[in-house]
């Protein structure tokens, strides 16, 4: 099983300078659409459980695993784009945003690196 490195809320730079990254975040405007998408992915994972429970042919299960993985990757890229457009852009526009901008770029780069490792 692969573990995912996630920054803690105590050390991750906040979207608006808040110590804990309290919203609104870049994805906030499309929150309901994101939740709907995640519920669909959750359904795909439940489908995988059913397939294993019902002894479905392994290649068919692997095909569904691939589809679920692609759906999660697509969701992650969408969130990354929103982070760049919202949080990084806000840091770039801030008068004293030099340090915050550098932190946001570093944070985004680390997130991209994690996505590429998966």
């Amino acid at each position: 099983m692969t573990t995912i490195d996630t920054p803690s809320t105590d050390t991750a730079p906040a979207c608006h300078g808040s110590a804990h990254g309290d919203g609104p975040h870049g994805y906030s405007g499309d929150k309901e659409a994101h939740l709907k998408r995640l519920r669909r992915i959750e359904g795909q994972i439940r489908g995988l459980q059913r397939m294993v429970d019902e002894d479905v042919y392994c290649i068919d299960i692997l095909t569904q695993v691939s589809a679920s993985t692609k759906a999660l990757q697509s969701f992650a890229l969408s969130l990354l784009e929103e982070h760049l457009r919202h949080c990084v852009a806000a840091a770039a526009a801030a008068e004293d945003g030099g340090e915050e901008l550098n932190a946001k770029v570093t944070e985004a780069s680390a997130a991209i690196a994690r996505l590429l490792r998966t």
Side-chain angles (χ1 to χ4, degrees):
M1 175 174 237
T2 304
T3 59
I4 299 172
D5 299 326
T6 56
S8 74
T9 55
D10 294 331
T11 59
C15 223
H16 289 293
S18 165
H20 297 287
D22 296 332
H25 299 289
Y27 61 84
S28 295
D30 291 328
K31 191 173 188 175
E32 287 306 313
H34 289 312
L35 289 171
K36 182 178 179 180
R37 193 171 185 184
L38 287 170
R39 285 185 204 104
R40 197 173 320 121
I41 294 168
E42 181 181 21
Q44 287 179 296
I45 303 305
R46 284 196 193 120
L48 282 167
Q49 293 171 338
R50 267 191 311 277
M51 291 172 83
V52 170
D53 187 48
E54 296 170 1
D55 293 318
V56 172
Y57 185 55
C58 50
I59 296 302
D60 293 338
I61 296 171
L62 289 170
T63 299
Q64 184 62 29
V65 167
S66 178
S68 300
T69 300
K70 293 296 181 190
L72 277 172
Q73 288 172 340
S74 177
F75 177 73
L77 289 174
S78 174
L79 282 181
L80 178 61
E81 180 179 352
E82 290 173 352
H83 176 72
L84 293 173
R85 289 184 190 277
H86 182 261
C87 302
V88 175
E95 287 183 29
D96 59 349
E99 283 185 42
E100 185 178 357
L101 176 59
N102 286 336
K104 294 294 181 192
V105 170
T106 298
E107 181 181 50
S109 295
I112 292 166
R114 286 191 301 273
L115 287 172
L116 290 174
R117 285 195 302 255
T118 57

